[in-house]
Amino acid sequence: MNAVLGSATALDAERLPRHIAIIMDGNGRWAKQRHLPRTAGHHAGVGAVRRTVEFCAKKGITALTLFAFSSENWRRPQEEVSVLMGLFLATLEKETQKLHQNNVRMRIIGDRSAFVPELQERMDAAERMTADNNGLNLSIAANYGGRWDITQAARRLAQEVADGRLSPADLTEQKLEALMSLADLPEPDLFIRTGGEQRISNFLLWQLAYTELYFTPVLWPDFDEQTLSQAIADYAGRQRRFGYTGDQVLQRSESR
Ligand code: IPE
Ligand code: IPE
Ligand code: MG
């Protein structure tokens, strides 16, 4: 953290990230440390999800995006995958109403066609129920891959070209971006990965282009308000330059 910023100022609304994206990693190791099956870690991880959502809603954060299941996680033992699917279903059933009461707008990003119909219906229902809420935008990435996201957007633009509605010369970054997941939200300001690994693992590849990255060794089931506040304070102490020089950024903020 920047030494000039005390932790009190660091949490000033002005320096709060508008959009936080998290890779919730370390469930398996958390369980292993306790000589429990990996799936016990996934169950324990639900508590950390609840704490994180509540914290972000309370702080007035605009958007929270959580990586719950990657397009590569199907490679795991079948039993673990099926416990995870059961957990999604149960959590959606149990938590959606409460999220709705708290004005949370929920969506699921990723290729949901791979999920069993019952789970797809639950996902649709949760989105429908919370569609008109204007509080925290909670996005759950499930069977999500950053490469999938870019590919599905490209495929839709290719279709427009094939239909003669778009010429290749008019294919711009903005047009592609508009078709990516989360296009209607501010880009993630702060990315957090728990569990100590320092990689993106095919999460939001396009959307993270200018996101501040924060890695913590804390295992996901142990993630709490304190760890999240630390990440936000660290973020608040950084200078985001977007290609400008540091002096230019200072001048711009002084003239505001
Ligand atoms: C993250 O925890 C949860 C999912 C990927 C679904 P892991 O299950 O990857 O935990 P570790 O990395 O094995 O500890
Ligand atoms: C990334 O974690 C996916 C989720 C947290 C859902 P992984 O544990 O699957 O990532 P790798 O395999 O270690 O890169
Ligand atoms: Mg992992």
Side-chain angles (χ1 to χ4, degrees):
M1 202 186 109
N2 186 328
V4 186
L5 293 160
S7 55
T9 47
L11 281 183
D12 280 355
E14 193 183 331
R15 287 188 166 272
L16 274 183
R18 285 189 300 168
H19 185 169
I20 303 177
I22 307 183
I23 298 189
M24 312 184 285
D25 197 21
N27 294 351
R29 281 163 284 167
W30 182 93
K32 202 166 177 195
Q33 282 175 357
R34 286 162 178 76
H35 308 286
L36 295 167
R38 292 179 51 82
T39 48
H42 299 317
H43 280 102
V46 177
V49 171
R50 208 176 286 126
R51 287 193 291 275
T52 305
V53 171
E54 278 170 14
F55 181 97
C56 290
K58 198 172 65 193
K59 290 273 178 222
I61 305 271
T62 303
L64 172 68
T65 301
L66 300 174
F67 204 6
F69 192 84
S70 76
S71 43
E72 290 72 33
N73 286 145
W74 299 106
R75 296 173 184 159
R76 294 192 175 195
Q78 205 206 318
E79 198 212 291
E80 180 171 344
V81 170
S82 94
V83 166
L84 282 166
M85 295 300 140
L87 203 54
F88 289 153
L89 196 64
T91 308
L92 279 171
E93 252 160 49
K94 204 164 149 235
E95 308 282 341
T96 303
Q97 187 68 42
K98 204 169 73 196
L99 291 170
H100 180 47
Q101 281 160 6
N102 286 304
N103 199 21
V104 173
R105 181 171 175 225
M106 192 160 128
R107 76 178 81 175
I108 287 84
I109 60 167
D111 180 5
R112 67 178 83 176
S113 68
F115 296 122
V116 295
E118 194 189 1
L119 186 51
Q120 291 187 42
E121 280 155 27
R122 273 274 148 209
M123 291 173 165
D124 294 347
E127 287 181 346
R128 251 183 284 118
M129 183 191 283
T130 64
D132 296 328
N133 293 339
N134 59 8
L136 176 70
N137 285 282
L138 173 64
S139 307
I140 307 292
N143 192 23
Y144 179 88
R147 289 174 178 173
W148 165 83
D149 202 358
I150 296 168
T151 308
Q152 64 80 25
R155 189 183 303 120
R156 283 154 71 189
L157 280 186
Q159 189 61 54
E160 289 190 30
V161 171
D163 294 346
R165 288 180 284 135
L166 181 73
S167 94
D170 295 331
L171 202 165
T172 57
E173 263 184 37
Q174 286 73 17
K175 287 219 166 66
L176 193 66
E177 187 157 84
L179 296 172
M180 303 281 303
S181 302
L182 312 179
D184 57 320
L185 297 172
E187 281 179 5
D189 300 298
L190 172 62
F191 159 98
I192 300 171
R193 182 172 185 144
T194 62
E197 309 301 344
Q198 302 193 7
R199 55 177 172 252
I200 307 282
S201 299
N202 200 16
F203 193 28
L204 306 159
L205 298 179
W206 176 283
Q207 298 86 339
L208 293 179
Y210 260 109
T211 304
E212 295 297 325
L213 308 180
Y214 183 87
F215 299 94
T216 168
V218 170
L219 303 173
W220 178 251
D222 293 328
F223 191 76
D224 59 9
E225 291 79 358
Q226 201 197 332
T227 326
L228 183 50
S229 297
Q230 259 163 24
I232 293 173
D234 192 279
Y235 165 84
R238 298 186 192 186
Q239 186 188 50
R240 302 185 75 188
R241 290 197 278 273
F242 298 100
Y244 294 101
T245 67
D247 287 345
Q248 281 178 303
V249 172
L250 283 176
Q251 276 160 19
R252 284 159 64 94
S253 65
E254 274 160 16
S255 65
R256 262 198 280 136

Short mmCIF file of all heavy atoms in Angstrom, two decimals, residues 24-29 38 73 76 193 197 199, ligand 3:
data_model
loop_
_atom_site.label_atom_id
_atom_site.label_comp_id
_atom_site.label_asym_id
_atom_site.label_seq_id
_atom_site.Cartn_x
_atom_site.Cartn_y
_atom_site.Cartn_z
N MET A 24 -11.81 -17.19 -7.20
CA MET A 24 -11.97 -17.78 -5.86
C MET A 24 -11.20 -19.10 -5.84
O MET A 24 -11.76 -20.14 -6.16
CB MET A 24 -13.45 -18.02 -5.58
CG MET A 24 -14.34 -16.82 -5.91
SD MET A 24 -16.06 -17.08 -5.45
CE MET A 24 -16.63 -18.19 -6.73
N ASP A 25 -9.94 -19.06 -5.46
CA ASP A 25 -9.11 -20.26 -5.57
C ASP A 25 -8.60 -20.69 -4.19
O ASP A 25 -8.41 -19.87 -3.30
CB ASP A 25 -7.93 -19.99 -6.52
CG ASP A 25 -7.27 -21.27 -6.99
OD1 ASP A 25 -7.92 -22.35 -6.94
OD2 ASP A 25 -6.10 -21.21 -7.43
N GLY A 26 -8.36 -21.99 -4.06
CA GLY A 26 -7.76 -22.52 -2.84
C GLY A 26 -8.69 -23.39 -1.98
O GLY A 26 -8.31 -23.81 -0.88
N ASN A 27 -9.87 -23.69 -2.50
CA ASN A 27 -10.80 -24.52 -1.73
C ASN A 27 -10.23 -25.90 -1.44
O ASN A 27 -10.35 -26.43 -0.33
CB ASN A 27 -12.11 -24.72 -2.50
CG ASN A 27 -12.89 -23.44 -2.67
OD1 ASN A 27 -12.55 -22.41 -2.08
ND2 ASN A 27 -13.93 -23.49 -3.48
N GLY A 28 -9.62 -26.48 -2.48
CA GLY A 28 -9.10 -27.85 -2.34
C GLY A 28 -7.99 -27.90 -1.30
O GLY A 28 -7.97 -28.80 -0.44
N ARG A 29 -7.07 -26.92 -1.36
CA ARG A 29 -5.96 -26.92 -0.39
C ARG A 29 -6.45 -26.63 1.02
O ARG A 29 -5.94 -27.17 1.99
CB ARG A 29 -4.90 -25.90 -0.84
CG ARG A 29 -4.00 -26.44 -1.94
CD ARG A 29 -3.27 -25.35 -2.65
NE ARG A 29 -4.15 -24.63 -3.56
CZ ARG A 29 -3.85 -23.48 -4.13
NH1 ARG A 29 -2.70 -22.89 -3.85
NH2 ARG A 29 -4.70 -22.90 -4.96
N ARG A 38 -11.72 -32.66 -0.83
CA ARG A 38 -11.68 -31.36 -1.52
C ARG A 38 -13.04 -30.67 -1.52
O ARG A 38 -13.13 -29.44 -1.41
CB ARG A 38 -11.24 -31.56 -2.98
CG ARG A 38 -9.81 -32.00 -3.19
CD ARG A 38 -9.52 -32.18 -4.68
NE ARG A 38 -9.91 -31.01 -5.44
CZ ARG A 38 -9.15 -29.92 -5.56
NH1 ARG A 38 -7.97 -29.87 -4.99
NH2 ARG A 38 -9.59 -28.89 -6.26
N ASN A 73 -12.54 -26.59 -15.85
CA ASN A 73 -12.78 -27.35 -14.63
C ASN A 73 -13.54 -28.66 -14.85
O ASN A 73 -13.61 -29.52 -13.97
CB ASN A 73 -13.49 -26.49 -13.56
CG ASN A 73 -12.59 -25.46 -12.91
OD1 ASN A 73 -13.01 -24.35 -12.58
ND2 ASN A 73 -11.31 -25.80 -12.71
N ARG A 76 -11.83 -32.04 -14.01
CA ARG A 76 -11.66 -32.57 -12.64
C ARG A 76 -12.39 -33.90 -12.49
O ARG A 76 -13.24 -34.25 -13.31
CB ARG A 76 -12.20 -31.54 -11.65
CG ARG A 76 -11.34 -30.29 -11.68
CD ARG A 76 -11.66 -29.38 -10.54
NE ARG A 76 -10.72 -28.28 -10.56
CZ ARG A 76 -10.51 -27.45 -9.57
NH1 ARG A 76 -11.19 -27.59 -8.45
NH2 ARG A 76 -9.63 -26.49 -9.67
N ARG A 193 -7.01 -12.58 -6.86
CA ARG A 193 -6.98 -14.04 -6.90
C ARG A 193 -6.50 -14.51 -5.54
O ARG A 193 -5.42 -14.14 -5.08
CB ARG A 193 -6.05 -14.58 -7.98
CG ARG A 193 -6.09 -16.12 -8.02
CD ARG A 193 -5.34 -16.72 -9.19
NE ARG A 193 -5.55 -18.18 -9.19
CZ ARG A 193 -5.68 -18.93 -10.26
NH1 ARG A 193 -5.60 -18.37 -11.46
NH2 ARG A 193 -5.86 -20.23 -10.17
N GLU A 197 -1.79 -18.55 -6.31
CA GLU A 197 -1.32 -18.68 -7.69
C GLU A 197 -1.37 -17.30 -8.35
O GLU A 197 -2.28 -16.52 -8.11
CB GLU A 197 -2.19 -19.63 -8.51
CG GLU A 197 -2.45 -20.99 -7.91
CD GLU A 197 -1.20 -21.79 -7.61
OE1 GLU A 197 -0.13 -21.45 -8.15
OE2 GLU A 197 -1.30 -22.75 -6.84
N ARG A 199 -1.80 -16.25 -11.73
CA ARG A 199 -2.16 -16.42 -13.14
C ARG A 199 -3.64 -16.10 -13.33
O ARG A 199 -4.41 -16.00 -12.36
CB ARG A 199 -1.83 -17.84 -13.61
CG ARG A 199 -2.44 -18.95 -12.78
CD ARG A 199 -2.11 -20.35 -13.36
NE ARG A 199 -2.53 -21.41 -12.45
CZ ARG A 199 -1.69 -22.17 -11.73
NH1 ARG A 199 -0.39 -21.99 -11.80
NH2 ARG A 199 -2.17 -23.12 -10.93
MG MG B 3 -7.34 -24.11 -7.88
#
